[in-house]
Amino acid sequence: LIERQQAADRDVLLCGIGLNVDLRGRLPPDRICLASLTGASPVRPVLLASLLAALDDVIVRLGDAPRALLADYRTRCETIGRAVEVTLPGGRRVVGRAMGVDDEGRLVVAGADGTEAILAGTVRDAVGHPSGREEHR
């Protein structure tokens, strides 16, 4: 999750992530949380320390081998293959199937009006959309 903001008369990017720590019983069957993998809720300070160390490793990889990092991201991205609804800056919506991530890091979505590479927007699962995973269970 990346958001552009103004701070001290400069453009800055605020980066964040979402991490499902303990949502057992509240997630759809095709989604998992850490507690469902381990059987117990993780100790949050330990989890945070581990997460920060892993992020530090990713930042190093980003500087050393950005293409390899992008390839790794593509193999792990759960959005690829899903039906999505993307709300672009300005409010235009794109609905279709997320086909991949291009070499510039843009999400490639195949929709009714063709294929579009999207740099910025809010991406959500298109629940109930005819091309969604829900239709193929």
Side-chain angles (χ1 to χ4, degrees):
L1 307 170
I2 301 174
E3 185 175 311
R4 189 173 105 193
Q5 294 286 324
Q6 286 283 317
D9 298 324
R10 297 179 358 175
D11 275 340
V12 296
L13 295 177
L14 302 174
C15 302
I17 62 170
L19 182 60
N20 294 329
V21 175
D22 192 354
L23 295 173
R24 290 175 285 186
R26 294 181 294 209
L27 289 173
D30 65 335
R31 299 292 177 98
I32 60 171
C33 66
L34 289 176
S36 65
L37 292 174
T38 64
S41 186
V43 178
R44 291 171 191 258
V46 173
L47 175 62
L48 178 60
S50 298
L51 180 62
L52 291 174
L55 287 173
D56 190 51
D57 290 343
V58 169
I59 290 169
V60 169
R61 286 184 63 201
L62 183 60
D64 293 346
R67 295 285 178 207
L69 186 61
L70 181 58
D72 186 39
Y73 174 74
R74 286 177 176 137
T75 66
R76 296 171 187 256
C77 180
E78 287 189 14
T79 302
I80 296 171
R82 288 187 183 265
V84 295
E85 178 181 308
V86 184
T87 304
L88 303 172
R92 185 169 72 88
R93 291 180 337 134
V94 175
V95 177
R97 182 166 304 280
M99 303 305 292
V101 176
D102 70 11
D103 288 343
E104 302 302 316
R106 299 174 296 186
L107 182 65
V108 178
V109 177
D113 297 328
T115 301
E116 189 167 347
I118 299 171
L119 180 61
T122 300
V123 180
R124 292 186 175 86
D125 281 347
V127 176
H129 187 269
S131 64
R133 268 192 186 174
E134 296 76 18
E135 301 296 317
H136 303 288
R137 286 187 186 186

